[in-house]
Amino acid sequence: MDIITIGDGMITFDPTAKGPLRFVHQFERKIGGAELNVVIGCARLGAKAGWISRLGKDEFGRHILNTVRGEGIDISEVKLMEHYATSLNFKEIQESGDSKTFYYRQNSPTETLTVESLPLDYIKNTKILHVSGVFPAITEQNREVILKAIQFAKESGVKVALDPNIRLKLWSKEQARKTLTQYLPYVDYLLTGREELEMLFDTKEDTELFSHIEKYNFEHVIVKEGAKGASYYENKKWNIVPGFPVSKVVDTVGAGDGFGAAFLYGKLQGWNIEKIMQIANAVGAMVVQVQGDNEGLPYFEEVEMFLGKRDLIER
């Protein structure tokens, strides 16, 4: 594998109407999950991607498994578990494209993925292990699973990417900070939002943030800034790479995951940081123009069309 991830997969119910969820009467079934979105994005761009997970042995679990297999992602380390229901979430989307998520993921099948059952050889034989703050927020046991995975990856010479992806509906700021800072010594690529970075280090001041960053051996610290683009840390300053304007934002969910996928794909290709950031910003801009967690994740030729580097032939 070029890249693998560990994370939950969910059925996402997207509303057919915008506005408060209590007034929505119909939903469309899709699939989602922060970590899953990233490997789907990597696979579409052209990477060999794999996924470690557990799903319920039910119709929803089978649907997710079949869909992910169809994306060309290796699912040899995904298992369907008896007596567990596949996790669900319902999205509420406003006219602006902003959204809220309502989770139903108690008694998650991922609780059957233990430290002892981690496929260490699978982790050892990849180039990048991607993790996020969502999986460890689901159960306390998951926190030890991720810690063991990234420690082993680091020992094995595998690059580790972390997106804090802090979901305060799943755990508190204090729990998130305690757990995620424990992971940081093993992280090569920290892909975060500004608010999450401030939450991790408990400060809003750049000088203090820089002081915290310098304590670790990060290869890259990236701050995703939505429509403005993204910044990368270098020489005690933020270097901004502008984003791309879009005519209409339809759904913001998954844009950060698309950015992360493109960033990691760029690292696999050996591109310089400016090119990686430009491509990642382009993917983020493409994702927000399509409704759904991962439907807008593009193939690489579509990114080239978006950037005007390939002709778009419509007829």
Side-chain angles (χ1 to χ4, degrees), residues 164-166 177 181 184 190-206 208-210 212-213 218 221-224 231 233 238:
N165 236 327
I166 297 172
R177 184 182 299 120
T181 52
L184 296 182
L190 180 62
L191 309 173
T192 181
R194 174 76 190 203
E195 187 177 352
E196 292 169 331
L197 189 66
E198 293 171 354
M199 208 179 298
L200 272 181
F201 296 130
D202 199 22
T203 180
K204 294 180 181 292
E205 299 298 323
D206 270 351
E208 292 183 32
L209 290 174
F210 296 161
H212 283 289
I213 289 169
F218 300 127
V221 177
I222 309 298
V223 175
K224 297 172 281 185
S231 303
Y233 176 74
W238 296 117

PDB file of all heavy atoms in Angstrom, residues 164-166 177 181 184 190-206 208-210 212-213 218 221-224 231 233 238:
ATOM      1  N   PRO A 164      -6.229  16.283  13.514  1.00  0.00           N
ATOM      2  CA  PRO A 164      -6.907  16.264  14.819  1.00  0.00           C
ATOM      3  C   PRO A 164      -8.426  16.115  14.708  1.00  0.00           C
ATOM      4  O   PRO A 164      -9.049  15.462  15.547  1.00  0.00           O
ATOM      5  CB  PRO A 164      -6.531  17.613  15.433  1.00  0.00           C
ATOM      6  CG  PRO A 164      -5.236  17.962  14.787  1.00  0.00           C
ATOM      7  CD  PRO A 164      -5.342  17.452  13.387  1.00  0.00           C
ATOM      8  N   ASN A 165      -9.036  16.752  13.697  1.00  0.00           N
ATOM      9  CA  ASN A 165     -10.460  16.543  13.415  1.00  0.00           C
ATOM     10  C   ASN A 165     -11.290  16.452  14.699  1.00  0.00           C
ATOM     11  O   ASN A 165     -12.022  15.482  14.911  1.00  0.00           O
ATOM     12  CB  ASN A 165     -10.627  15.259  12.599  1.00  0.00           C
ATOM     13  CG  ASN A 165     -11.355  15.486  11.294  1.00  0.00           C
ATOM     14  OD1 ASN A 165     -12.223  16.337  11.205  1.00  0.00           O
ATOM     15  ND2 ASN A 165     -10.996  14.717  10.284  1.00  0.00           N
ATOM     16  N   ILE A 166     -11.162  17.432  15.563  1.00  0.00           N
ATOM     17  CA  ILE A 166     -11.776  17.376  16.893  1.00  0.00           C
ATOM     18  C   ILE A 166     -13.291  17.530  16.797  1.00  0.00           C
ATOM     19  O   ILE A 166     -13.789  18.528  16.280  1.00  0.00           O
ATOM     20  CB  ILE A 166     -11.168  18.447  17.816  1.00  0.00           C
ATOM     21  CG1 ILE A 166      -9.665  18.158  18.010  1.00  0.00           C
ATOM     22  CG2 ILE A 166     -11.884  18.463  19.170  1.00  0.00           C
ATOM     23  CD1 ILE A 166      -8.911  19.248  18.751  1.00  0.00           C
ATOM     24  N   ARG A 177      -7.355  17.102  23.917  1.00  0.00           N
ATOM     25  CA  ARG A 177      -5.998  17.640  24.075  1.00  0.00           C
ATOM     26  C   ARG A 177      -5.062  16.598  24.694  1.00  0.00           C
ATOM     27  O   ARG A 177      -3.942  16.379  24.209  1.00  0.00           O
ATOM     28  CB  ARG A 177      -6.041  18.899  24.945  1.00  0.00           C
ATOM     29  CG  ARG A 177      -4.674  19.588  25.093  1.00  0.00           C
ATOM     30  CD  ARG A 177      -4.750  20.810  25.991  1.00  0.00           C
ATOM     31  NE  ARG A 177      -5.655  21.806  25.462  1.00  0.00           N
ATOM     32  CZ  ARG A 177      -6.737  22.252  26.102  1.00  0.00           C
ATOM     33  NH1 ARG A 177      -7.038  21.782  27.303  1.00  0.00           N
ATOM     34  NH2 ARG A 177      -7.498  23.173  25.562  1.00  0.00           N
ATOM     35  N   THR A 181      -2.182  15.203  22.028  1.00  0.00           N
ATOM     36  CA  THR A 181      -0.804  15.638  22.296  1.00  0.00           C
ATOM     37  C   THR A 181       0.080  14.436  22.633  1.00  0.00           C
ATOM     38  O   THR A 181       1.294  14.474  22.404  1.00  0.00           O
ATOM     39  CB  THR A 181      -0.742  16.676  23.424  1.00  0.00           C
ATOM     40  OG1 THR A 181      -1.431  16.184  24.582  1.00  0.00           O
ATOM     41  CG2 THR A 181      -1.358  17.995  22.999  1.00  0.00           C
ATOM     42  N   LEU A 184       1.527  13.287  19.298  1.00  0.00           N
ATOM     43  CA  LEU A 184       2.351  14.203  18.500  1.00  0.00           C
ATOM     44  C   LEU A 184       3.818  13.794  18.330  1.00  0.00           C
ATOM     45  O   LEU A 184       4.395  14.049  17.260  1.00  0.00           O
ATOM     46  CB  LEU A 184       2.263  15.623  19.062  1.00  0.00           C
ATOM     47  CG  LEU A 184       0.872  16.272  18.994  1.00  0.00           C
ATOM     48  CD1 LEU A 184       0.919  17.697  19.543  1.00  0.00           C
ATOM     49  CD2 LEU A 184       0.325  16.272  17.565  1.00  0.00           C
ATOM     50  N   LEU A 190       1.260  17.011  10.372  1.00  0.00           N
ATOM     51  CA  LEU A 190       0.123  17.462  11.173  1.00  0.00           C
ATOM     52  C   LEU A 190      -0.748  18.344  10.288  1.00  0.00           C
ATOM     53  O   LEU A 190      -0.331  19.435   9.871  1.00  0.00           O
ATOM     54  CB  LEU A 190       0.608  18.248  12.394  1.00  0.00           C
ATOM     55  CG  LEU A 190      -0.483  18.787  13.332  1.00  0.00           C
ATOM     56  CD1 LEU A 190      -1.304  17.643  13.936  1.00  0.00           C
ATOM     57  CD2 LEU A 190       0.131  19.652  14.436  1.00  0.00           C
ATOM     58  N   LEU A 191      -1.944  17.863   9.970  1.00  0.00           N
ATOM     59  CA  LEU A 191      -2.864  18.560   9.075  1.00  0.00           C
ATOM     60  C   LEU A 191      -4.061  19.016   9.905  1.00  0.00           C
ATOM     61  O   LEU A 191      -4.898  18.192  10.293  1.00  0.00           O
ATOM     62  CB  LEU A 191      -3.331  17.614   7.958  1.00  0.00           C
ATOM     63  CG  LEU A 191      -2.225  16.869   7.205  1.00  0.00           C
ATOM     64  CD1 LEU A 191      -2.819  15.839   6.258  1.00  0.00           C
ATOM     65  CD2 LEU A 191      -1.337  17.842   6.450  1.00  0.00           C
ATOM     66  N   THR A 192      -4.152  20.302  10.171  1.00  0.00           N
ATOM     67  CA  THR A 192      -5.109  20.765  11.159  1.00  0.00           C
ATOM     68  C   THR A 192      -5.796  22.051  10.721  1.00  0.00           C
ATOM     69  O   THR A 192      -5.369  22.698   9.766  1.00  0.00           O
ATOM     70  CB  THR A 192      -4.378  20.984  12.508  1.00  0.00           C
ATOM     71  OG1 THR A 192      -5.308  21.422  13.501  1.00  0.00           O
ATOM     72  CG2 THR A 192      -3.276  22.021  12.376  1.00  0.00           C
ATOM     73  N   GLY A 193      -6.863  22.413  11.427  1.00  0.00           N
ATOM     74  CA  GLY A 193      -7.468  23.725  11.282  1.00  0.00           C
ATOM     75  C   GLY A 193      -6.884  24.652  12.340  1.00  0.00           C
ATOM     76  O   GLY A 193      -6.326  24.180  13.334  1.00  0.00           O
ATOM     77  N   ARG A 194      -7.015  25.946  12.141  1.00  0.00           N
ATOM     78  CA  ARG A 194      -6.464  26.897  13.107  1.00  0.00           C
ATOM     79  C   ARG A 194      -7.084  26.706  14.496  1.00  0.00           C
ATOM     80  O   ARG A 194      -6.376  26.672  15.513  1.00  0.00           O
ATOM     81  CB  ARG A 194      -6.712  28.326  12.609  1.00  0.00           C
ATOM     82  CG  ARG A 194      -6.311  29.428  13.590  1.00  0.00           C
ATOM     83  CD  ARG A 194      -4.819  29.635  13.638  1.00  0.00           C
ATOM     84  NE  ARG A 194      -4.427  30.513  14.721  1.00  0.00           N
ATOM     85  CZ  ARG A 194      -3.300  31.211  14.753  1.00  0.00           C
ATOM     86  NH1 ARG A 194      -2.448  31.120  13.746  1.00  0.00           N
ATOM     87  NH2 ARG A 194      -2.994  31.975  15.766  1.00  0.00           N
ATOM     88  N   GLU A 195      -8.390  26.560  14.542  1.00  0.00           N
ATOM     89  CA  GLU A 195      -9.073  26.404  15.827  1.00  0.00           C
ATOM     90  C   GLU A 195      -8.604  25.138  16.548  1.00  0.00           C
ATOM     91  O   GLU A 195      -8.428  25.128  17.771  1.00  0.00           O
ATOM     92  CB  GLU A 195     -10.589  26.367  15.607  1.00  0.00           C
ATOM     93  CG  GLU A 195     -11.390  26.376  16.895  1.00  0.00           C
ATOM     94  CD  GLU A 195     -12.885  26.424  16.643  1.00  0.00           C
ATOM     95  OE1 GLU A 195     -13.305  26.601  15.472  1.00  0.00           O
ATOM     96  OE2 GLU A 195     -13.637  26.273  17.622  1.00  0.00           O
ATOM     97  N   GLU A 196      -8.412  24.069  15.791  1.00  0.00           N
ATOM     98  CA  GLU A 196      -7.948  22.820  16.393  1.00  0.00           C
ATOM     99  C   GLU A 196      -6.515  22.945  16.907  1.00  0.00           C
ATOM    100  O   GLU A 196      -6.177  22.419  17.973  1.00  0.00           O
ATOM    101  CB  GLU A 196      -8.036  21.690  15.362  1.00  0.00           C
ATOM    102  CG  GLU A 196      -9.451  21.317  15.004  1.00  0.00           C
ATOM    103  CD  GLU A 196      -9.538  20.387  13.805  1.00  0.00           C
ATOM    104  OE1 GLU A 196      -8.640  20.459  12.930  1.00  0.00           O
ATOM    105  OE2 GLU A 196     -10.499  19.618  13.753  1.00  0.00           O
ATOM    106  N   LEU A 197      -5.673  23.649  16.165  1.00  0.00           N
ATOM    107  CA  LEU A 197      -4.295  23.854  16.608  1.00  0.00           C
ATOM    108  C   LEU A 197      -4.270  24.642  17.917  1.00  0.00           C
ATOM    109  O   LEU A 197      -3.528  24.307  18.847  1.00  0.00           O
ATOM    110  CB  LEU A 197      -3.509  24.606  15.527  1.00  0.00           C
ATOM    111  CG  LEU A 197      -1.993  24.701  15.741  1.00  0.00           C
ATOM    112  CD1 LEU A 197      -1.348  23.328  15.649  1.00  0.00           C
ATOM    113  CD2 LEU A 197      -1.365  25.645  14.721  1.00  0.00           C
ATOM    114  N   GLU A 198      -5.107  25.679  17.993  1.00  0.00           N
ATOM    115  CA  GLU A 198      -5.200  26.471  19.224  1.00  0.00           C
ATOM    116  C   GLU A 198      -5.733  25.639  20.377  1.00  0.00           C
ATOM    117  O   GLU A 198      -5.310  25.792  21.527  1.00  0.00           O
ATOM    118  CB  GLU A 198      -6.100  27.690  18.983  1.00  0.00           C
ATOM    119  CG  GLU A 198      -5.492  28.695  18.009  1.00  0.00           C
ATOM    120  CD  GLU A 198      -6.458  29.795  17.594  1.00  0.00           C
ATOM    121  OE1 GLU A 198      -7.654  29.712  17.988  1.00  0.00           O
ATOM    122  OE2 GLU A 198      -6.026  30.727  16.893  1.00  0.00           O
ATOM    123  N   MET A 199      -6.650  24.727  20.080  1.00  0.00           N
ATOM    124  CA  MET A 199      -7.207  23.851  21.109  1.00  0.00           C
ATOM    125  C   MET A 199      -6.149  22.865  21.602  1.00  0.00           C
ATOM    126  O   MET A 199      -6.035  22.594  22.800  1.00  0.00           O
ATOM    127  CB  MET A 199      -8.401  23.102  20.531  1.00  0.00           C
ATOM    128  CG  MET A 199      -9.445  22.693  21.546  1.00  0.00           C
ATOM    129  SD  MET A 199     -10.852  21.827  20.779  1.00  0.00           S
ATOM    130  CE  MET A 199     -11.491  23.107  19.696  1.00  0.00           C
ATOM    131  N   LEU A 200      -5.351  22.333  20.679  1.00  0.00           N
ATOM    132  CA  LEU A 200      -4.308  21.372  21.047  1.00  0.00           C
ATOM    133  C   LEU A 200      -3.302  21.978  22.012  1.00  0.00           C
ATOM    134  O   LEU A 200      -2.896  21.349  22.992  1.00  0.00           O
ATOM    135  CB  LEU A 200      -3.570  20.904  19.786  1.00  0.00           C
ATOM    136  CG  LEU A 200      -4.103  19.709  19.007  1.00  0.00           C
ATOM    137  CD1 LEU A 200      -3.184  19.427  17.827  1.00  0.00           C
ATOM    138  CD2 LEU A 200      -4.239  18.486  19.880  1.00  0.00           C
ATOM    139  N   PHE A 201      -2.878  23.201  21.701  1.00  0.00           N
ATOM    140  CA  PHE A 201      -1.809  23.819  22.478  1.00  0.00           C
ATOM    141  C   PHE A 201      -2.308  24.867  23.468  1.00  0.00           C
ATOM    142  O   PHE A 201      -1.515  25.539  24.130  1.00  0.00           O
ATOM    143  CB  PHE A 201      -0.762  24.419  21.537  1.00  0.00           C
ATOM    144  CG  PHE A 201      -0.055  23.383  20.698  1.00  0.00           C
ATOM    145  CD1 PHE A 201       0.065  23.533  19.326  1.00  0.00           C
ATOM    146  CD2 PHE A 201       0.488  22.248  21.281  1.00  0.00           C
ATOM    147  CE1 PHE A 201       0.717  22.587  18.552  1.00  0.00           C
ATOM    148  CE2 PHE A 201       1.147  21.294  20.518  1.00  0.00           C
ATOM    149  CZ  PHE A 201       1.259  21.456  19.158  1.00  0.00           C
ATOM    150  N   ASP A 202      -3.627  25.024  23.552  1.00  0.00           N
ATOM    151  CA  ASP A 202      -4.269  25.895  24.535  1.00  0.00           C
ATOM    152  C   ASP A 202      -3.764  27.341  24.468  1.00  0.00           C
ATOM    153  O   ASP A 202      -3.480  27.982  25.482  1.00  0.00           O
ATOM    154  CB  ASP A 202      -4.065  25.335  25.946  1.00  0.00           C
ATOM    155  CG  ASP A 202      -5.057  25.913  26.950  1.00  0.00           C
ATOM    156  OD1 ASP A 202      -6.123  26.401  26.518  1.00  0.00           O
ATOM    157  OD2 ASP A 202      -4.762  25.878  28.160  1.00  0.00           O
ATOM    158  N   THR A 203      -3.619  27.856  23.249  1.00  0.00           N
ATOM    159  CA  THR A 203      -3.219  29.257  23.063  1.00  0.00           C
ATOM    160  C   THR A 203      -3.648  29.738  21.683  1.00  0.00           C
ATOM    161  O   THR A 203      -3.769  28.929  20.749  1.00  0.00           O
ATOM    162  CB  THR A 203      -1.691  29.420  23.211  1.00  0.00           C
ATOM    163  OG1 THR A 203      -1.348  30.804  23.030  1.00  0.00           O
ATOM    164  CG2 THR A 203      -0.927  28.591  22.188  1.00  0.00           C
ATOM    165  N   LYS A 204      -3.865  31.037  21.559  1.00  0.00           N
ATOM    166  CA  LYS A 204      -4.202  31.644  20.270  1.00  0.00           C
ATOM    167  C   LYS A 204      -3.035  32.446  19.701  1.00  0.00           C
ATOM    168  O   LYS A 204      -3.106  32.941  18.582  1.00  0.00           O
ATOM    169  CB  LYS A 204      -5.424  32.565  20.430  1.00  0.00           C
ATOM    170  CG  LYS A 204      -6.715  31.846  20.793  1.00  0.00           C
ATOM    171  CD  LYS A 204      -7.876  32.837  20.925  1.00  0.00           C
ATOM    172  CE  LYS A 204      -9.178  32.140  21.304  1.00  0.00           C
ATOM    173  NZ  LYS A 204      -9.684  31.271  20.224  1.00  0.00           N
ATOM    174  N   GLU A 205      -1.975  32.604  20.477  1.00  0.00           N
ATOM    175  CA  GLU A 205      -0.834  33.439  20.077  1.00  0.00           C
ATOM    176  C   GLU A 205       0.142  32.665  19.192  1.00  0.00           C
ATOM    177  O   GLU A 205       0.578  31.568  19.551  1.00  0.00           O
ATOM    178  CB  GLU A 205      -0.096  33.949  21.318  1.00  0.00           C
ATOM    179  CG  GLU A 205      -0.936  34.816  22.237  1.00  0.00           C
ATOM    180  CD  GLU A 205      -1.416  36.075  21.550  1.00  0.00           C
ATOM    181  OE1 GLU A 205      -0.640  36.639  20.730  1.00  0.00           O
ATOM    182  OE2 GLU A 205      -2.542  36.504  21.819  1.00  0.00           O
ATOM    183  N   ASP A 206       0.492  33.257  18.052  1.00  0.00           N
ATOM    184  CA  ASP A 206       1.405  32.587  17.123  1.00  0.00           C
ATOM    185  C   ASP A 206       2.742  32.240  17.765  1.00  0.00           C
ATOM    186  O   ASP A 206       3.282  31.153  17.547  1.00  0.00           O
ATOM    187  CB  ASP A 206       1.642  33.473  15.892  1.00  0.00           C
ATOM    188  CG  ASP A 206       0.628  33.187  14.786  1.00  0.00           C
ATOM    189  OD1 ASP A 206      -0.133  32.201  14.904  1.00  0.00           O
ATOM    190  OD2 ASP A 206       0.582  33.950  13.805  1.00  0.00           O
ATOM    191  N   GLU A 208       3.472  31.539  20.795  1.00  0.00           N
ATOM    192  CA  GLU A 208       3.335  30.372  21.667  1.00  0.00           C
ATOM    193  C   GLU A 208       3.079  29.107  20.854  1.00  0.00           C
ATOM    194  O   GLU A 208       3.595  28.030  21.188  1.00  0.00           O
ATOM    195  CB  GLU A 208       2.210  30.601  22.677  1.00  0.00           C
ATOM    196  CG  GLU A 208       2.519  31.683  23.701  1.00  0.00           C
ATOM    197  CD  GLU A 208       1.413  31.825  24.730  1.00  0.00           C
ATOM    198  OE1 GLU A 208       0.765  30.813  25.059  1.00  0.00           O
ATOM    199  OE2 GLU A 208       1.200  32.946  25.208  1.00  0.00           O
ATOM    200  N   LEU A 209       2.285  29.235  19.785  1.00  0.00           N
ATOM    201  CA  LEU A 209       2.055  28.083  18.912  1.00  0.00           C
ATOM    202  C   LEU A 209       3.371  27.602  18.308  1.00  0.00           C
ATOM    203  O   LEU A 209       3.654  26.403  18.267  1.00  0.00           O
ATOM    204  CB  LEU A 209       1.072  28.445  17.798  1.00  0.00           C
ATOM    205  CG  LEU A 209      -0.387  28.674  18.202  1.00  0.00           C
ATOM    206  CD1 LEU A 209      -1.190  29.179  17.009  1.00  0.00           C
ATOM    207  CD2 LEU A 209      -1.005  27.402  18.758  1.00  0.00           C
ATOM    208  N   PHE A 210       4.178  28.555  17.832  1.00  0.00           N
ATOM    209  CA  PHE A 210       5.471  28.200  17.240  1.00  0.00           C
ATOM    210  C   PHE A 210       6.364  27.483  18.260  1.00  0.00           C
ATOM    211  O   PHE A 210       7.071  26.529  17.932  1.00  0.00           O
ATOM    212  CB  PHE A 210       6.181  29.437  16.710  1.00  0.00           C
ATOM    213  CG  PHE A 210       5.457  30.129  15.590  1.00  0.00           C
ATOM    214  CD1 PHE A 210       5.748  31.454  15.275  1.00  0.00           C
ATOM    215  CD2 PHE A 210       4.488  29.474  14.855  1.00  0.00           C
ATOM    216  CE1 PHE A 210       5.083  32.106  14.237  1.00  0.00           C
ATOM    217  CE2 PHE A 210       3.817  30.110  13.820  1.00  0.00           C
ATOM    218  CZ  PHE A 210       4.118  31.433  13.515  1.00  0.00           C
ATOM    219  N   HIS A 212       5.434  25.636  20.763  1.00  0.00           N
ATOM    220  CA  HIS A 212       4.948  24.267  20.923  1.00  0.00           C
ATOM    221  C   HIS A 212       5.333  23.408  19.723  1.00  0.00           C
ATOM    222  O   HIS A 212       5.783  22.262  19.883  1.00  0.00           O
ATOM    223  CB  HIS A 212       3.427  24.266  21.084  1.00  0.00           C
ATOM    224  CG  HIS A 212       2.962  24.685  22.443  1.00  0.00           C
ATOM    225  ND1 HIS A 212       3.133  23.892  23.557  1.00  0.00           N
ATOM    226  CD2 HIS A 212       2.336  25.813  22.866  1.00  0.00           C
ATOM    227  CE1 HIS A 212       2.626  24.510  24.617  1.00  0.00           C
ATOM    228  NE2 HIS A 212       2.133  25.674  24.225  1.00  0.00           N
ATOM    229  N   ILE A 213       5.166  23.956  18.521  1.00  0.00           N
ATOM    230  CA  ILE A 213       5.482  23.204  17.298  1.00  0.00           C
ATOM    231  C   ILE A 213       6.946  22.780  17.283  1.00  0.00           C
ATOM    232  O   ILE A 213       7.285  21.658  16.889  1.00  0.00           O
ATOM    233  CB  ILE A 213       5.132  24.048  16.052  1.00  0.00           C
ATOM    234  CG1 ILE A 213       3.608  24.154  15.898  1.00  0.00           C
ATOM    235  CG2 ILE A 213       5.759  23.457  14.792  1.00  0.00           C
ATOM    236  CD1 ILE A 213       3.158  25.163  14.862  1.00  0.00           C
ATOM    237  N   PHE A 218       8.061  17.467  13.570  1.00  0.00           N
ATOM    238  CA  PHE A 218       7.145  17.448  12.431  1.00  0.00           C
ATOM    239  C   PHE A 218       7.916  17.736  11.143  1.00  0.00           C
ATOM    240  O   PHE A 218       8.751  18.637  11.101  1.00  0.00           O
ATOM    241  CB  PHE A 218       6.062  18.520  12.579  1.00  0.00           C
ATOM    242  CG  PHE A 218       5.199  18.381  13.811  1.00  0.00           C
ATOM    243  CD1 PHE A 218       5.027  19.443  14.678  1.00  0.00           C
ATOM    244  CD2 PHE A 218       4.543  17.182  14.084  1.00  0.00           C
ATOM    245  CE1 PHE A 218       4.230  19.333  15.806  1.00  0.00           C
ATOM    246  CE2 PHE A 218       3.738  17.061  15.205  1.00  0.00           C
ATOM    247  CZ  PHE A 218       3.578  18.130  16.072  1.00  0.00           C
ATOM    248  N   VAL A 221       3.721  21.078   9.236  1.00  0.00           N
ATOM    249  CA  VAL A 221       2.514  21.468   9.966  1.00  0.00           C
ATOM    250  C   VAL A 221       1.697  22.333   9.014  1.00  0.00           C
ATOM    251  O   VAL A 221       2.156  23.384   8.559  1.00  0.00           O
ATOM    252  CB  VAL A 221       2.831  22.251  11.255  1.00  0.00           C
ATOM    253  CG1 VAL A 221       1.534  22.691  11.936  1.00  0.00           C
ATOM    254  CG2 VAL A 221       3.659  21.394  12.203  1.00  0.00           C
ATOM    255  N   ILE A 222       0.505  21.871   8.710  1.00  0.00           N
ATOM    256  CA  ILE A 222      -0.361  22.537   7.740  1.00  0.00           C
ATOM    257  C   ILE A 222      -1.619  23.009   8.451  1.00  0.00           C
ATOM    258  O   ILE A 222      -2.246  22.246   9.192  1.00  0.00           O
ATOM    259  CB  ILE A 222      -0.761  21.582   6.592  1.00  0.00           C
ATOM    260  CG1 ILE A 222       0.472  20.912   5.984  1.00  0.00           C
ATOM    261  CG2 ILE A 222      -1.598  22.316   5.548  1.00  0.00           C
ATOM    262  CD1 ILE A 222       1.463  21.852   5.340  1.00  0.00           C
ATOM    263  N   VAL A 223      -2.006  24.251   8.217  1.00  0.00           N
ATOM    264  CA  VAL A 223      -3.250  24.779   8.777  1.00  0.00           C
ATOM    265  C   VAL A 223      -4.218  25.052   7.633  1.00  0.00           C
ATOM    266  O   VAL A 223      -3.962  25.894   6.763  1.00  0.00           O
ATOM    267  CB  VAL A 223      -3.007  26.067   9.592  1.00  0.00           C
ATOM    268  CG1 VAL A 223      -4.338  26.658  10.049  1.00  0.00           C
ATOM    269  CG2 VAL A 223      -2.133  25.768  10.798  1.00  0.00           C
ATOM    270  N   LYS A 224      -5.329  24.327   7.639  1.00  0.00           N
ATOM    271  CA  LYS A 224      -6.376  24.504   6.619  1.00  0.00           C
ATOM    272  C   LYS A 224      -7.247  25.698   7.008  1.00  0.00           C
ATOM    273  O   LYS A 224      -7.715  25.783   8.137  1.00  0.00           O
ATOM    274  CB  LYS A 224      -7.220  23.230   6.524  1.00  0.00           C
ATOM    275  CG  LYS A 224      -6.426  22.010   6.071  1.00  0.00           C
ATOM    276  CD  LYS A 224      -7.241  20.732   6.165  1.00  0.00           C
ATOM    277  CE  LYS A 224      -7.313  20.212   7.583  1.00  0.00           C
ATOM    278  NZ  LYS A 224      -7.994  18.906   7.683  1.00  0.00           N
ATOM    279  N   SER A 231      -2.058  27.291   5.080  1.00  0.00           N
ATOM    280  CA  SER A 231      -0.724  27.779   5.423  1.00  0.00           C
ATOM    281  C   SER A 231       0.150  26.612   5.851  1.00  0.00           C
ATOM    282  O   SER A 231      -0.333  25.636   6.420  1.00  0.00           O
ATOM    283  CB  SER A 231      -0.795  28.786   6.577  1.00  0.00           C
ATOM    284  OG  SER A 231      -1.646  29.867   6.275  1.00  0.00           O
ATOM    285  N   TYR A 233       3.835  25.794   8.023  1.00  0.00           N
ATOM    286  CA  TYR A 233       4.782  26.374   8.965  1.00  0.00           C
ATOM    287  C   TYR A 233       6.209  26.174   8.482  1.00  0.00           C
ATOM    288  O   TYR A 233       6.599  25.070   8.112  1.00  0.00           O
ATOM    289  CB  TYR A 233       4.612  25.726  10.342  1.00  0.00           C
ATOM    290  CG  TYR A 233       5.624  26.195  11.360  1.00  0.00           C
ATOM    291  CD1 TYR A 233       5.536  27.457  11.930  1.00  0.00           C
ATOM    292  CD2 TYR A 233       6.695  25.375  11.731  1.00  0.00           C
ATOM    293  CE1 TYR A 233       6.468  27.894  12.858  1.00  0.00           C
ATOM    294  CE2 TYR A 233       7.636  25.797  12.653  1.00  0.00           C
ATOM    295  CZ  TYR A 233       7.520  27.060  13.218  1.00  0.00           C
ATOM    296  OH  TYR A 233       8.439  27.497  14.130  1.00  0.00           O
ATOM    297  N   TRP A 238       3.966  31.494   9.239  1.00  0.00           N
ATOM    298  CA  TRP A 238       2.997  30.814   8.392  1.00  0.00           C
ATOM    299  C   TRP A 238       3.152  31.300   6.957  1.00  0.00           C
ATOM    300  O   TRP A 238       3.159  32.504   6.708  1.00  0.00           O
ATOM    301  CB  TRP A 238       1.567  31.086   8.862  1.00  0.00           C
ATOM    302  CG  TRP A 238       1.263  30.559  10.224  1.00  0.00           C
ATOM    303  CD1 TRP A 238       0.919  31.282  11.330  1.00  0.00           C
ATOM    304  CD2 TRP A 238       1.268  29.186  10.642  1.00  0.00           C
ATOM    305  NE1 TRP A 238       0.706  30.463  12.401  1.00  0.00           N
ATOM    306  CE2 TRP A 238       0.905  29.164  12.011  1.00  0.00           C
ATOM    307  CE3 TRP A 238       1.535  27.975   9.989  1.00  0.00           C
ATOM    308  CZ2 TRP A 238       0.816  27.978  12.744  1.00  0.00           C
ATOM    309  CZ3 TRP A 238       1.449  26.801  10.713  1.00  0.00           C
ATOM    310  CH2 TRP A 238       1.090  26.804  12.071  1.00  0.00           C
TER     311      TRP A 238
END
